[in-house]
Amino acid sequence: MSADDGLVPQLESPDPDEELTIQQVSSLLGLPAPTIRSWERRYGVPQAGRSQGGHRRYNVEQIEMLGQMRDEIALGRRAVDAAASIMSAGDTSPADLVEDFLHAAMTLDPAGLTRVLEAARSSLGLERSVDDVIMPALRQIGRRWEAGRCDIAHEHLASQATQAWLVSIGRTAPPPVDRPVVLSGGPLDHHTLGLDCIGALLRQRGWDCRMLGARMPSESLARAVVETDAAAVVLVCHLAPGRRAAIDSLHAANGHHAALFYAGGAFSSRQSRHGVPGHYLGTNLGAAADLITSTVIAELP
């Protein structure tokens, strides 16, 4: 079927309440199931429902969105642009969602924050919710606090509500199929929300994540890697004074058959990354989760 023949092959007597499995949609549209999963994960096109067993289920509207995505790409459009076009009709922009997040944070409204995050996930998908809504909003809150325009209570409530939401969506992640990934803050770092976001994105990809949290001593991190037989270690350090201790933690974890990854403001400059063992993850958390997944699959048995 060519792109000019329409968006989706017509089902016989389509039932608006009928939902298909990903294998049925794959056969119907001629799209590999991994491609369908990737579009949902990266672009939120579409956000499939789930059965009681956690399997994807697609309604007619979602099947049409997938067909439109397929056809746009077949005409030479980039996937990210096709997805943005499909999702833009009637949807709130990331900038609007950031403003809604900030309003809920400034009014100390955790339920409002949850509603904003659910709206973001529904319209943008989890990856763009993290990179285009959560992280920009939290950076703005941090700048407001530094300028004396908000209280630490606003930052703490926003962080706690976001972490609780990430935990809740983690319950719908697919079951893990491989060795775990250990996630840790640097020995001097107090905040882990960026690490929580990476964990949520990795769980969505089927990884079993073991979150060690903030201020993790290097010897404890190394012990956790050994005891879990970890496939990978992800360490985040935001504080420049803690960079040396974070590097020591990476060295302590090295040599235990786990791939090493690191991120955070302490490693933002190229000079700060010189000689650091492992892979630098950058600032885009969706891309970081992809790099972890591809590297571990390529390097480890």
Side-chain angles (χ1 to χ4, degrees), residues 50 53-56 121 126 166-176 199-209:
R50 299 278 178 164
H55 301 291
R56 288 174 172 82
R121 186 185 180 208
L126 180 57
L166 291 169
V167 169
S168 71
I169 65 173
R171 300 189 184 104
T172 65
L201 294 172
L202 289 173
R203 290 185 183 96
Q204 189 184 50
R205 289 158 171 76
W207 291 103
D208 177 11
C209 294

Side-chain angles (χ1 to χ4, degrees), residues 140-158:
Q140 286 200 41
I141 291 173
R143 287 193 289 268
R144 290 186 183 190
W145 178 76
E146 290 175 352
R149 296 171 54 206
C150 74
D151 189 78
I152 194 66
H154 299 105
E155 188 274 336
H156 280 191
L157 183 136

